[in-house]
Structure formats: structure tokens, C-alpha cells
Amino acid sequence: MTEKQQERIKTKIKQIKAALAADKKRWGGFYDDSRGLRYGPPKLYIQLGDFSGGIRYMNWFKKNFPDDIGFPDFLFEWTIILFKTGKLNEAEKKAFE
């Protein structure tokens, strides 16, 4: 992956985070992400190979969307991130979900 491609992916992650922050501000401290933007960043973190950033994002996701079960591909991406960061027990549980 070229440096320019990495910058585009990082910019896309920043745009998604900014859109989610604006959504939270608009709804008075709550998220109403009906567009599903919250499901995009894990894939982008995997493309970058930034698994520690992916873990930080997944922790944020758990905190802000505790009742969200996610889509199968999203859960698979979450499993990959957990596996690549050495959290094998958690990855096994997430794969089972």
C-alpha cells in the first residue's frame, strides 16, 4: 500500500469519527447513527494494519453502542483485530458470536 493510499484511509477514518461526533452533538449526547457509519472503521484499520487503533475503536464502540449486535462481517473484522493483538480468548468468543 502506498503512502498516499494510507493517507486516504486515515482521512476516511477521521471523517467517519467527525460525522459520529457531530451526530452525538446534534442529538444531545446520544448517537443516532442510522446511516451505519459506525461499522466502517474496523475494515479500514485492518487495511492499514493498525490493530491497536482498531482495539481503541472497538472499545469505544462497546462503550457507546452496548446493545448493538452488529453485522456478521463487522463481527468477523472485530475477531481479526482481537486475534492480531493477541487477545485470543476474546477473539474466540467473538468468533462464536
Side-chain angles (χ1 to χ4, degrees), residues 20-34:
L20 288 169
D23 188 53
K24 183 177 180 179
K25 186 176 181 182
R26 179 174 182 228
W27 294 102
F30 298 99
Y31 290 97
D32 179 40
D33 181 33
S34 55

Side-chain angles (χ1 to χ4, degrees), residues 1-16 44 47-48:
M1 179 177 299
T2 66
E3 196 171 309
K4 186 123 177 136
Q5 289 171 325
Q6 289 177 347
E7 286 302 316
R8 279 191 217 127
I9 292 172
K10 288 177 184 177
T11 301
K12 193 168 189 174
I13 291 171
K14 287 178 187 175
Q15 290 172 344
I16 291 171
L44 300 173
Q47 287 177 348
L48 283 175

